Amino acid sequence: MPRRLLPTRRGIAVGVVAVTAVAAGATFGPPSLDAVVVPAGVALLAAGVQLLSLDPPTVERTTPPSADPGTTATVRLAFATDTPVTAVVRDHLPPGVDGDATATTLVGGDPVAYTVTYRERGAHALGPATVDARDVLGLARRTFVIEGRDTVLVYPRVFHPSSAVAGRLRALTAPDAGAKRGAFDHLREYVHGDSLRDVHWKSSAKREGLVVQEFADDGDRRTVTVAASAERGWADAMAEAAATVTVALLDEGVSVSLATPDGRVRATPSDADRPLAHLARVGAGDADTDADVAVRAAADGVTVHIDGVSHPFDPRRRRRIDDASDAAPSAPEVRA
């Protein structure tokens, strides 16, 4: 929506000069008016006419993809208007996203790009955009507030779990003792998400890449259930612990059913973004369900409960969503 027409500092200076000329004309005669007041008045009038004739511009905002905190990305604003005009544009940035979203540009020309850095987990709305249009001489300005917001999603941080938790999670993904698998069907190339227990090492040693075994009844892999809950004020810690556990399980090649205070989501090894997007928005509360893994965040600490044993959430180091762990593992050295 447009706001009223206002003078710039330059416009105020021109107005002051014109008023001074009027005062001088009253003292020394009309020639002072002709030399200064008339040009100043024409310039100010032209500035007002130019800006008042502008139609409100529109904007299309291109947002970067979802990512974890610390990610730097680019936002683009493409303005459209019937009459291009020089303006100072500003995009409103919410808490949790840093950046310099102010630029002087020709509205109606090339898109404006600015850089943002994700700081906090959550769904953050960018906008509205403000266009501070100036006339050709820079004497007046007219501000347009272009309503419309777009959301960027910031995932919780993901860590490598401690050795104790990692070992317990790995045990959950191993085949049950005495369980029978279907008959061997065929070998195929390794793809991201396959369990390492299915790698056929002898055949892999004879090839350039890994190969895995397919069994006749392997279409439905086991699903590990994870429940996450948090006391008020501890939702971020819960989200980070649940994300760490979930990603670690998906890396082992099993599906995960994640229950949180905001609902349930199921993910497969090839779809890790689904639980991360859910955890980006989740709030505090209880997840009332039995689960293989229970994550609890409270004032006395964050714990991961597996097979009747509670472990403190003690991650060793942070990992990026797209770090090297997403790559296929290399085959071990085979000796004769």
Side-chain angles (χ1 to χ4, degrees):
M1 59 179 291
R3 294 179 179 170
R4 65 184 184 276
L5 189 68
L6 295 172
T8 62
R9 292 181 179 178
R10 184 182 299 176
I12 293 174
V14 171
V16 169
V17 171
V19 170
T20 302
V22 170
T27 303
F28 301 107
S32 298
L33 296 178
D34 295 338
V36 178
V37 177
V38 173
V42 170
L44 291 171
L45 179 62
V49 171
Q50 179 189 353
L51 294 179
L52 290 174
S53 64
L54 289 178
D55 290 326
T58 60
V59 65
E60 181 178 349
R61 185 183 291 104
T62 303
T63 57
S66 304
D68 46 355
T71 300
T72 298
T74 300
V75 179
R76 287 181 172 81
L77 302 174
F79 293 94
T81 181
D82 293 335
T83 305
V85 62
T86 300
V88 176
V89 299
R90 300 177 183 85
D91 206 15
H92 175 74
L93 295 182
V97 177
D98 293 340
D100 183 1
T102 302
T104 300
T105 187
L106 180 67
V107 171
D110 294 335
V112 177
Y114 65 90
T115 300
V116 294
T117 301
Y118 297 164
R119 294 301 182 196
E120 298 178 4
R121 176 187 73 97
H124 304 290
L126 307 181
T130 300
V131 175
D132 210 11
R134 310 296 174 98
D135 68 287
V136 174
L137 297 177
L139 301 179
R141 61 185 177 91
R142 186 184 181 194
T143 302
F144 298 88
V145 179
I146 308 174
E147 297 297 336
R149 293 169 173 82
D150 293 281
T151 301
V152 294
L153 197 62
V154 182
Y155 295 151
R157 295 181 299 172
V158 178
F159 298 86
H160 291 280
S162 64
S163 56
V165 171
R168 290 281 184 174
L169 295 177
R170 198 172 296 114
L172 286 178
T173 67
D176 294 333
K180 294 183 179 179
R181 306 188 73 184
F184 170 78
D185 189 22
H186 64 279
L187 295 174
R188 61 170 175 80
E189 292 184 1
Y190 175 95
V191 296
H192 173 60
D194 288 333
S195 175
L196 294 183
R197 67 187 175 91
D198 289 336
V199 173
H200 195 275
W201 298 110
K202 184 177 292 186
S203 298
S204 298
K206 301 175 183 178
R207 306 188 183 191
E208 294 183 357
L210 298 180
V211 293
V212 296
Q213 306 170 82
E214 283 279 9
F215 295 88
D217 64 346
D218 266 4
D220 186 18
R221 293 179 179 270
R222 183 190 174 192
T223 297
V224 177
T225 56
V226 177
S229 57
E231 292 182 355
R232 186 174 181 179
W234 289 87
D236 287 342
M238 173 196 69
E240 291 180 355
T244 297
V245 168
T246 299
V247 171
L249 288 169
L250 293 175
D251 282 347
E252 291 296 327
V254 299
S255 297
V256 175
S257 179
L258 172 66
T260 72
D262 290 354
R264 181 183 291 274
V265 62
R266 182 185 173 94
T268 61
S270 61
D271 190 20
D273 285 345
R274 184 186 296 272
L276 292 175
H278 178 83
L279 290 169
R281 297 181 171 92
V282 71
D286 292 323
D288 187 15
T289 183
D290 293 329
D292 299 313
V293 183
V295 175
R296 176 72 179 175
D300 58 353
V302 183
T303 58
V304 180
H305 190 79
I306 310 171
D307 286 339
V309 180
S310 290
H311 302 271
F313 179 62
D314 184 23
R316 297 308 180 193
R317 60 189 176 89
R318 184 178 172 187
R319 60 172 284 178
R320 306 298 300 184
I321 298 303
D322 56 352
D323 69 4
S325 64
D326 291 338
S330 58
E333 181 181 358
V334 178
R335 298 182 180 179

